């Protein structure tokens, strides 16, 4: 049974760095058939994809957060992390980690998010 | 970024009804379209990947169709546990983007 679990401070001061870790169990983070994502959801709003990281360390960040986001992977602990610098109240959200897998179809390899953490609420406030 | 637009934004229906939720992509995304269900306080759960592939364990009353820019999620006969928010997501290109969500409520 694959499980993802976010952890980190629930309260961060403005201008500081938000740091979250996603612990993965039931699967190896080095499994080449998957890659690892962060998604956030502002209170009462929809889903916003932040970016992904492969076990090799290859990353992609959504353009609106690229200048402040950094992801890393720790294969020895089977976990990956998100740092978001210079946070403001607009970064208050529930942060989810999620595993991406592929559906291998005739039309190409289709990524989708098959396992998610339960979410971690991070509030930015002084 | 590819904009994903769902309609309607909210929908009231009764148990047993057949409902359809639409998702339109701002450009051709072929069949790179996924559907998720989210209940209050929970993480999203994948229902359908690659437009029409039902995830293991998802009831067969859920179905997906479409290609290119227009996609549909159909629930053939609503059950009480289906009242939730539904999101489409494109993974044709980065940045991946979600629709704004469709809230399915009990009439």
């Amino acid at each position: 049974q694959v499980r993802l679990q976010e952890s980190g401070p629930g309260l961060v001061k403005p201008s500081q760095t938000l740091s979250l870790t996603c612990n993965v169990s039931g699967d190896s983070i080095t499994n080449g058939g998957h890659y690892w994502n962060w998604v956030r959801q502002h209170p009462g709003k929809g889903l916003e994809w932040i970016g992904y990281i492969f076990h090799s360390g290859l990353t992609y960040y959504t353009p609106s957060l690229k200048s402040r986001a950094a992801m890393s992977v720790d294969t020895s602990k089977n976990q990956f992390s998100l740092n978001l610098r210079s946070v403001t109240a607009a970064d208050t959200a529930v942060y989810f980690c999620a595993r991406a897998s592929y559906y291998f179809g005739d039309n190409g390899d289709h990524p989708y998010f098959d396992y998610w953490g339960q979410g971690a609420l991070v509030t930015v406030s002084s | 970024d590819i904009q994903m637009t769902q309609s309607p934004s909210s929908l009231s229906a009764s148990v047993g009804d057949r409902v359809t939720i639409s998702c339109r992509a701002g450009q051709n995304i072929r069949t790179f379209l996924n559907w998720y269900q989210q209940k209050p306080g929970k993480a999203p759960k994948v229902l359908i990947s690659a437009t029409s592939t039902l995830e293991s364990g998802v009831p067969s009353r859920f179905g997906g169709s479409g290609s290119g820019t227009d996609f549909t999620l159909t629930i053939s006969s609503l059950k009480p546990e289906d009242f939730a928010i539904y999101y489409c997501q494109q993974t044709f290109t980065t940045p991946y983007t979600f629709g704004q969500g469709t809230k399915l409520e009990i009439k």
Side-chain angles (χ1 to χ4, degrees):
Chain A
Q1 175 78 0
V2 177
R3 290 193 63 189
L4 285 74
Q5 175 95 36
E6 305 90 349
S7 61
L11 181 64
V12 181
K13 289 182 166 51
S15 79
Q16 294 192 342
T17 297
L18 177 160
S19 295
L20 291 170
T21 295
C22 182
N23 187 68
V24 179
S25 59
D27 185 23
S28 171
I29 206 163
T30 60
N31 183 333
H34 308 294
Y35 56 102
W36 309 93
N37 298 263
W38 290 97
V39 177
R40 71 180 181 177
Q41 187 168 37
H42 294 103
K45 302 297 183 184
L47 301 167
E48 178 186 20
W49 180 68
I50 298 171
Y52 66 55
I53 186 166
F54 283 78
H55 73 273
S56 63
L58 175 69
T59 55
Y60 179 92
Y61 306 107
T62 197
S64 62
L65 296 173
K66 184 178 181 179
S67 63
R68 298 192 293 126
M71 297 181 191
S72 60
V73 62
D74 187 336
T75 56
S76 67
K77 295 181 179 178
N78 215 41
Q79 61 188 25
F80 61 104
S81 299
L82 169 69
N83 280 352
L84 190 63
R85 300 185 297 106
S86 304
V87 296
T88 70
D91 295 307
T92 294
V94 175
Y95 288 76
F96 296 99
C97 55
R99 187 183 84 168
S101 294
Y102 296 94
Y103 170 76
F104 298 102
D106 296 337
N107 205 10
D109 300 339
H110 295 64
Y112 66 102
F113 296 177
D114 57 352
Y115 288 96
W116 297 65
Q118 85 282 0
L121 173 62
V122 180
T123 302
V124 178
S125 174
S126 55
Chain B
D1 300 9
I2 298 178
Q3 184 170 358
M4 306 300 292
T5 304
Q6 291 181 229
S7 60
S9 294
S10 63
L11 174 60
S12 293
S14 301
V15 172
D17 284 353
R18 177 185 178 90
V19 300
T20 59
I21 297 171
S22 296
C23 178
R24 175 163 288 179
Q27 66 185 70
N28 185 353
I29 59 168
R30 291 162 50 188
T31 53
F32 287 73
L33 190 284
N34 308 313
W35 289 99
Y36 299 87
Q37 176 194 66
Q38 187 179 33
K39 296 183 178 180
K42 300 293 188 181
K45 170 190 169 185
V46 65
L47 299 174
I48 290 171
S49 61
T51 297
S52 59
T53 300
L54 207 61
E55 185 70 357
S56 176
V58 174
S60 59
R61 63 181 180 274
F62 290 91
S65 63
S67 181
T69 60
D70 292 305
F71 302 85
T72 299
L73 172 70
T74 300
I75 310 173
S76 60
S77 180
L78 278 172
K79 298 235 186 257
E81 59 267 32
D82 299 337
F83 293 94
I85 299 176
Y86 293 85
Y87 293 95
C88 61
Q89 176 204 33
Q90 68 81 19
T91 54
F92 176 71
T93 189
T94 51
Y96 300 152
T97 45
F98 292 89
Q100 82 278 15
T102 295
K103 186 174 184 179
L104 179 53
E105 298 176 299
I106 301 174
K107 185 182 286 184

PDB file of all heavy atoms in Angstrom, chain B residues 81-97:
ATOM      1  N   GLU B  81     -22.633   8.961  -2.205  1.00  0.00           N
ATOM      2  CA  GLU B  81     -21.198   9.208  -1.999  1.00  0.00           C
ATOM      3  C   GLU B  81     -20.544   9.968  -3.157  1.00  0.00           C
ATOM      4  O   GLU B  81     -19.365  10.314  -3.081  1.00  0.00           O
ATOM      5  CB  GLU B  81     -20.456   7.885  -1.772  1.00  0.00           C
ATOM      6  CG  GLU B  81     -20.560   6.873  -2.887  1.00  0.00           C
ATOM      7  CD  GLU B  81     -21.705   5.882  -2.674  1.00  0.00           C
ATOM      8  OE1 GLU B  81     -22.735   6.265  -2.080  1.00  0.00           O
ATOM      9  OE2 GLU B  81     -21.550   4.727  -3.121  1.00  0.00           O
ATOM     10  N   ASP B  82     -21.300  10.245  -4.225  1.00  0.00           N
ATOM     11  CA  ASP B  82     -20.729  10.943  -5.380  1.00  0.00           C
ATOM     12  C   ASP B  82     -20.788  12.459  -5.236  1.00  0.00           C
ATOM     13  O   ASP B  82     -20.214  13.173  -6.069  1.00  0.00           O
ATOM     14  CB  ASP B  82     -21.462  10.542  -6.670  1.00  0.00           C
ATOM     15  CG  ASP B  82     -21.352   9.059  -6.965  1.00  0.00           C
ATOM     16  OD1 ASP B  82     -20.387   8.423  -6.472  1.00  0.00           O
ATOM     17  OD2 ASP B  82     -22.221   8.535  -7.686  1.00  0.00           O
ATOM     18  N   PHE B  83     -21.461  12.958  -4.220  1.00  0.00           N
ATOM     19  CA  PHE B  83     -21.563  14.403  -4.065  1.00  0.00           C
ATOM     20  C   PHE B  83     -20.228  14.924  -3.534  1.00  0.00           C
ATOM     21  O   PHE B  83     -19.793  14.580  -2.424  1.00  0.00           O
ATOM     22  CB  PHE B  83     -22.750  14.762  -3.185  1.00  0.00           C
ATOM     23  CG  PHE B  83     -24.059  14.420  -3.865  1.00  0.00           C
ATOM     24  CD1 PHE B  83     -24.678  13.200  -3.636  1.00  0.00           C
ATOM     25  CD2 PHE B  83     -24.619  15.283  -4.787  1.00  0.00           C
ATOM     26  CE1 PHE B  83     -25.856  12.863  -4.283  1.00  0.00           C
ATOM     27  CE2 PHE B  83     -25.791  14.959  -5.443  1.00  0.00           C
ATOM     28  CZ  PHE B  83     -26.417  13.741  -5.189  1.00  0.00           C
ATOM     29  N   ALA B  84     -19.567  15.711  -4.362  1.00  0.00           N
ATOM     30  CA  ALA B  84     -18.177  16.112  -4.135  1.00  0.00           C
ATOM     31  C   ALA B  84     -17.829  17.183  -5.157  1.00  0.00           C
ATOM     32  O   ALA B  84     -18.687  17.637  -5.915  1.00  0.00           O
ATOM     33  CB  ALA B  84     -17.263  14.898  -4.306  1.00  0.00           C
ATOM     34  N   ILE B  85     -16.560  17.562  -5.179  1.00  0.00           N
ATOM     35  CA  ILE B  85     -16.065  18.485  -6.197  1.00  0.00           C
ATOM     36  C   ILE B  85     -15.212  17.675  -7.176  1.00  0.00           C
ATOM     37  O   ILE B  85     -14.403  16.839  -6.761  1.00  0.00           O
ATOM     38  CB  ILE B  85     -15.241  19.631  -5.578  1.00  0.00           C
ATOM     39  CG1 ILE B  85     -16.127  20.430  -4.614  1.00  0.00           C
ATOM     40  CG2 ILE B  85     -14.696  20.547  -6.676  1.00  0.00           C
ATOM     41  CD1 ILE B  85     -15.394  21.540  -3.869  1.00  0.00           C
ATOM     42  N   TYR B  86     -15.403  17.937  -8.446  1.00  0.00           N
ATOM     43  CA  TYR B  86     -14.692  17.223  -9.500  1.00  0.00           C
ATOM     44  C   TYR B  86     -13.783  18.193 -10.250  1.00  0.00           C
ATOM     45  O   TYR B  86     -14.188  19.308 -10.581  1.00  0.00           O
ATOM     46  CB  TYR B  86     -15.686  16.561 -10.455  1.00  0.00           C
ATOM     47  CG  TYR B  86     -16.449  15.454  -9.773  1.00  0.00           C
ATOM     48  CD1 TYR B  86     -17.599  15.729  -9.033  1.00  0.00           C
ATOM     49  CD2 TYR B  86     -16.001  14.141  -9.807  1.00  0.00           C
ATOM     50  CE1 TYR B  86     -18.284  14.729  -8.356  1.00  0.00           C
ATOM     51  CE2 TYR B  86     -16.677  13.129  -9.148  1.00  0.00           C
ATOM     52  CZ  TYR B  86     -17.810  13.433  -8.416  1.00  0.00           C
ATOM     53  OH  TYR B  86     -18.479  12.432  -7.749  1.00  0.00           O
ATOM     54  N   TYR B  87     -12.561  17.744 -10.494  1.00  0.00           N
ATOM     55  CA  TYR B  87     -11.566  18.549 -11.213  1.00  0.00           C
ATOM     56  C   TYR B  87     -11.048  17.789 -12.421  1.00  0.00           C
ATOM     57  O   TYR B  87     -10.763  16.585 -12.332  1.00  0.00           O
ATOM     58  CB  TYR B  87     -10.367  18.857 -10.315  1.00  0.00           C
ATOM     59  CG  TYR B  87     -10.655  19.756  -9.140  1.00  0.00           C
ATOM     60  CD1 TYR B  87     -10.942  19.220  -7.882  1.00  0.00           C
ATOM     61  CD2 TYR B  87     -10.632  21.146  -9.271  1.00  0.00           C
ATOM     62  CE1 TYR B  87     -11.199  20.038  -6.802  1.00  0.00           C
ATOM     63  CE2 TYR B  87     -10.889  21.980  -8.185  1.00  0.00           C
ATOM     64  CZ  TYR B  87     -11.166  21.409  -6.958  1.00  0.00           C
ATOM     65  OH  TYR B  87     -11.424  22.227  -5.871  1.00  0.00           O
ATOM     66  N   CYS B  88     -10.894  18.499 -13.528  1.00  0.00           N
ATOM     67  CA  CYS B  88     -10.135  17.942 -14.639  1.00  0.00           C
ATOM     68  C   CYS B  88      -8.709  18.487 -14.566  1.00  0.00           C
ATOM     69  O   CYS B  88      -8.460  19.523 -13.945  1.00  0.00           O
ATOM     70  CB  CYS B  88     -10.787  18.260 -15.982  1.00  0.00           C
ATOM     71  SG  CYS B  88     -10.934  20.020 -16.402  1.00  0.00           S
ATOM     72  N   GLN B  89      -7.801  17.781 -15.186  1.00  0.00           N
ATOM     73  CA  GLN B  89      -6.375  18.157 -15.181  1.00  0.00           C
ATOM     74  C   GLN B  89      -5.768  17.758 -16.521  1.00  0.00           C
ATOM     75  O   GLN B  89      -5.974  16.633 -16.992  1.00  0.00           O
ATOM     76  CB  GLN B  89      -5.638  17.414 -14.066  1.00  0.00           C
ATOM     77  CG  GLN B  89      -4.126  17.665 -14.034  1.00  0.00           C
ATOM     78  CD  GLN B  89      -3.365  16.518 -13.356  1.00  0.00           C
ATOM     79  OE1 GLN B  89      -3.754  15.353 -13.440  1.00  0.00           O
ATOM     80  NE2 GLN B  89      -2.309  16.857 -12.642  1.00  0.00           N
ATOM     81  N   GLN B  90      -4.996  18.663 -17.102  1.00  0.00           N
ATOM     82  CA  GLN B  90      -4.265  18.292 -18.309  1.00  0.00           C
ATOM     83  C   GLN B  90      -2.812  18.011 -17.942  1.00  0.00           C
ATOM     84  O   GLN B  90      -2.198  18.742 -17.169  1.00  0.00           O
ATOM     85  CB  GLN B  90      -4.374  19.370 -19.399  1.00  0.00           C
ATOM     86  CG  GLN B  90      -3.698  20.696 -19.133  1.00  0.00           C
ATOM     87  CD  GLN B  90      -2.201  20.699 -19.399  1.00  0.00           C
ATOM     88  OE1 GLN B  90      -1.674  19.836 -20.119  1.00  0.00           O
ATOM     89  NE2 GLN B  90      -1.485  21.668 -18.828  1.00  0.00           N
ATOM     90  N   THR B  91      -2.284  16.934 -18.487  1.00  0.00           N
ATOM     91  CA  THR B  91      -0.868  16.612 -18.333  1.00  0.00           C
ATOM     92  C   THR B  91      -0.225  16.454 -19.710  1.00  0.00           C
ATOM     93  O   THR B  91       0.745  15.715 -19.887  1.00  0.00           O
ATOM     94  CB  THR B  91      -0.675  15.324 -17.495  1.00  0.00           C
ATOM     95  OG1 THR B  91      -1.450  14.261 -18.084  1.00  0.00           O
ATOM     96  CG2 THR B  91      -1.100  15.541 -16.057  1.00  0.00           C
ATOM     97  N   PHE B  92      -0.765  17.186 -20.681  1.00  0.00           N
ATOM     98  CA  PHE B  92      -0.173  17.176 -22.024  1.00  0.00           C
ATOM     99  C   PHE B  92       1.154  17.917 -22.039  1.00  0.00           C
ATOM    100  O   PHE B  92       2.100  17.520 -22.719  1.00  0.00           O
ATOM    101  CB  PHE B  92      -1.155  17.827 -23.001  1.00  0.00           C
ATOM    102  CG  PHE B  92      -0.636  17.958 -24.405  1.00  0.00           C
ATOM    103  CD1 PHE B  92      -0.476  16.848 -25.205  1.00  0.00           C
ATOM    104  CD2 PHE B  92      -0.311  19.200 -24.920  1.00  0.00           C
ATOM    105  CE1 PHE B  92       0.002  16.963 -26.499  1.00  0.00           C
ATOM    106  CE2 PHE B  92       0.170  19.331 -26.205  1.00  0.00           C
ATOM    107  CZ  PHE B  92       0.330  18.210 -26.999  1.00  0.00           C
ATOM    108  N   THR B  93       1.201  19.014 -21.277  1.00  0.00           N
ATOM    109  CA  THR B  93       2.421  19.794 -21.217  1.00  0.00           C
ATOM    110  C   THR B  93       2.508  20.505 -19.875  1.00  0.00           C
ATOM    111  O   THR B  93       1.491  20.750 -19.225  1.00  0.00           O
ATOM    112  CB  THR B  93       2.469  20.817 -22.368  1.00  0.00           C
ATOM    113  OG1 THR B  93       3.765  21.427 -22.399  1.00  0.00           O
ATOM    114  CG2 THR B  93       1.418  21.903 -22.214  1.00  0.00           C
ATOM    115  N   THR B  94       3.730  20.811 -19.486  1.00  0.00           N
ATOM    116  CA  THR B  94       3.926  21.583 -18.267  1.00  0.00           C
ATOM    117  C   THR B  94       3.777  23.074 -18.587  1.00  0.00           C
ATOM    118  O   THR B  94       4.109  23.501 -19.705  1.00  0.00           O
ATOM    119  CB  THR B  94       5.317  21.336 -17.672  1.00  0.00           C
ATOM    120  OG1 THR B  94       6.304  21.529 -18.711  1.00  0.00           O
ATOM    121  CG2 THR B  94       5.442  19.930 -17.119  1.00  0.00           C
ATOM    122  N   PRO B  95       3.299  23.878 -17.632  1.00  0.00           N
ATOM    123  CA  PRO B  95       2.820  23.451 -16.316  1.00  0.00           C
ATOM    124  C   PRO B  95       1.488  22.722 -16.411  1.00  0.00           C
ATOM    125  O   PRO B  95       0.599  23.141 -17.164  1.00  0.00           O
ATOM    126  CB  PRO B  95       2.672  24.775 -15.566  1.00  0.00           C
ATOM    127  CG  PRO B  95       2.379  25.783 -16.634  1.00  0.00           C
ATOM    128  CD  PRO B  95       3.182  25.347 -17.830  1.00  0.00           C
ATOM    129  N   TYR B  96       1.372  21.640 -15.677  1.00  0.00           N
ATOM    130  CA  TYR B  96       0.084  20.947 -15.591  1.00  0.00           C
ATOM    131  C   TYR B  96      -0.943  21.922 -15.009  1.00  0.00           C
ATOM    132  O   TYR B  96      -0.625  22.706 -14.109  1.00  0.00           O
ATOM    133  CB  TYR B  96       0.185  19.725 -14.686  1.00  0.00           C
ATOM    134  CG  TYR B  96       1.184  18.677 -15.108  1.00  0.00           C
ATOM    135  CD1 TYR B  96       1.786  17.863 -14.156  1.00  0.00           C
ATOM    136  CD2 TYR B  96       1.540  18.483 -16.436  1.00  0.00           C
ATOM    137  CE1 TYR B  96       2.701  16.878 -14.513  1.00  0.00           C
ATOM    138  CE2 TYR B  96       2.461  17.510 -16.801  1.00  0.00           C
ATOM    139  CZ  TYR B  96       3.043  16.716 -15.840  1.00  0.00           C
ATOM    140  OH  TYR B  96       3.960  15.752 -16.195  1.00  0.00           O
ATOM    141  N   THR B  97      -2.140  21.852 -15.486  1.00  0.00           N
ATOM    142  CA  THR B  97      -3.174  22.760 -15.006  1.00  0.00           C
ATOM    143  C   THR B  97      -4.462  22.013 -14.744  1.00  0.00           C
ATOM    144  O   THR B  97      -4.779  21.019 -15.417  1.00  0.00           O
ATOM    145  CB  THR B  97      -3.421  23.898 -16.009  1.00  0.00           C
ATOM    146  OG1 THR B  97      -3.495  23.363 -17.348  1.00  0.00           O
ATOM    147  CG2 THR B  97      -2.308  24.933 -15.950  1.00  0.00           C
TER     148      THR B  97
END
